[in-house]
Amino acid sequence: MEADTVKLAPSILAADFARMGEQVAEAEQAGADRIHIDVMDGHFVPSLSMGAPIVQSLRRVTRLRLEIHMMIMNPDSFLEKFVEAGSDSFLVHWEGNNNLHRTVRRIKELGKYAGVVVNPATPAAVLEEILPELDQVLVMTVNPGFGHQHFLHSTLPKIERVRQMVGRFDGGCEVGVDGGINQETAPLASAAGAGVLVAGSSIFGDSLGVATAMSGLRASIARHKSNLLAVKTFP
């Protein structure tokens, strides 16, 4: 995946909540493709996090796509509320969903982008039947529920398998990754076939600022690709 075609989705779970609007604006100015919002209910995952009021507040400060990662039980019950708040897309987990096809169809009926998330231990094969319906597949490269986790390198072959599966359909489905993305792991995920990188701590936790952090991620991907080309062309 070319560095300039990889899309960055800053995750506001790692933002400074006292400066969230300001940091989202910085991410937009630095060329972010979308804003990733983790919604956690304390049941599907142990943590609690943002609800529709956060989305409503962010809608006023950015034109970027607001992407809702629904780490919750019964996501169908919350879709309309998040749509009213200004959400543009929804990512729902394969795990624990009572009727995934119905959920995806409902998201589409609401006029929004629909994606499915798979946890590290979930095989890519579970996506086979639902894939033609999707705008995105998000491969978790950490176990969901907490920030600041280390990238699980064992997920790289699965990213490749998902990319191959998506390639068999002509539907424009994106392949994204979420978890432990930084300047060391972003090139690996990109090389495996990820076109969307969700990154939290490495963007909002960078002491040099959001724009510098995002430039650093893109540069790391470009360097990795350049090194691979150099190795391939070395006599």
Side-chain angles (χ1 to χ4, degrees):
M1 195 66 65
E2 299 280 356
D4 57 357
T5 62
V6 171
K7 298 175 180 178
L8 296 182
S11 172
I12 62 167
L13 186 64
D16 179 349
F17 278 27
R19 301 176 53 240
M20 187 179 296
E22 177 185 336
Q23 289 191 316
V24 166
E26 290 175 10
E28 181 172 4
Q29 292 169 6
D33 177 72
R34 64 198 67 174
I35 299 298
H36 188 87
I37 302 172
D38 290 309
V39 176
M40 299 183 279
D41 64 358
H43 298 285
F44 183 76
V45 292
S47 302
L48 288 168
S49 72
M50 293 153 282
I54 294 292
V55 175
Q56 189 173 31
S57 295
L58 292 179
R59 183 74 287 163
R60 294 195 294 266
V61 300
T62 183
R63 294 171 295 176
L64 291 177
R65 181 193 301 187
L66 297 181
E67 174 179 89
I68 314 302
H69 183 178
M70 304 190 83
M71 289 176 272
I72 62 178
M73 304 295 290
N74 302 317
D76 303 57
S77 302
F78 298 90
L79 293 174
E80 285 83 358
K81 185 176 295 185
F82 277 95
V83 168
E84 290 171 3
S87 304
D88 299 298
S89 63
F90 294 92
L91 301 169
V92 295
H93 275 259
W94 178 87
E95 303 84 7
N97 192 293
N98 292 326
N99 192 322
L100 186 62
H101 188 267
R102 181 178 62 199
T103 301
V104 168
R105 281 292 177 89
R106 181 57 183 150
I107 293 169
K108 292 294 190 73
E109 288 170 359
L110 290 167
K112 306 302 176 181
Y113 296 100
V116 167
V117 190
V118 287
N119 285 343
T122 302
V126 303
L127 298 166
E128 192 73 37
E129 301 300 329
I130 194 69
L131 197 55
E133 305 282 342
L134 302 181
D135 299 302
Q136 183 181 173
V137 173
L138 186 69
V139 178
M140 292 301 300
T141 44
V142 300
N143 286 297
F146 302 96
H148 308 286
Q149 295 188 65
H150 294 296
F151 183 93
L152 295 173
H153 287 75
S154 59
T155 60
L156 288 171
K158 182 162 71 175
I159 298 169
E160 294 177 353
R161 288 193 293 273
V162 172
R163 168 51 62 193
Q164 292 168 359
M165 293 170 67
V166 166
R168 297 201 293 267
F169 299 95
D170 188 22
C173 180
E174 297 177 316
V175 177
V177 296
D178 182 4
I181 295 298
N182 54 39
Q183 291 190 28
E184 288 71 44
T185 59
L188 302 179
S190 174
V196 181
L197 306 181
V198 177
S201 302
S202 63
I203 290 179
F204 292 117
D206 193 305
S207 60
L208 297 179
V210 170
T212 299
M214 290 174 59
S215 295
L217 286 174
R218 293 192 179 98
S220 71
I221 296 169
R223 284 195 303 270
H224 184 77
K225 183 176 185 295
S226 178
N227 291 340
L228 289 178
L229 288 174
V231 170
K232 289 179 180 178
T233 57
F234 188 79

